[in-house]
Amino acid sequence: MEDKLLVIAKNSSPNASPVQLSVVSCQLSVVSSQLSVVSCQLSVVSRGEAFGR
């Protein structure tokens, strides 16, 4: 997923249209939200293990 974003960022020229920029920023926000969900799940799992001991 991040590799695709890098390719998009490299392919977009300096004078990229606002639509292209908004699409890239939207994809970045989606990726960051996915990462936050994963980190939240990891913290829940680690808490569960702590309670299990």
Side-chain angles (χ1 to χ4, degrees):
M1 187 73 183
E2 293 178 23
D3 292 338
K4 289 181 184 176
L5 291 175
L6 288 174
V7 170
I8 291 172
K10 288 178 184 175
N11 288 345
S12 48
S13 56
N15 55 356
S17 66
V19 174
Q20 286 176 315
L21 294 176
S22 64
V23 168
V24 171
S25 62
C26 179
Q27 287 176 329
L28 285 174
S29 65
V30 169
V31 170
S32 62
S33 65
Q34 287 175 336
L35 288 175
S36 65
V37 168
V38 170
S39 62
C40 179
Q41 288 175 332
L42 286 175
S43 65
V44 168
V45 169
S46 60
R47 282 184 201 153
E49 289 176 355
F51 283 131
R53 288 176 187 162

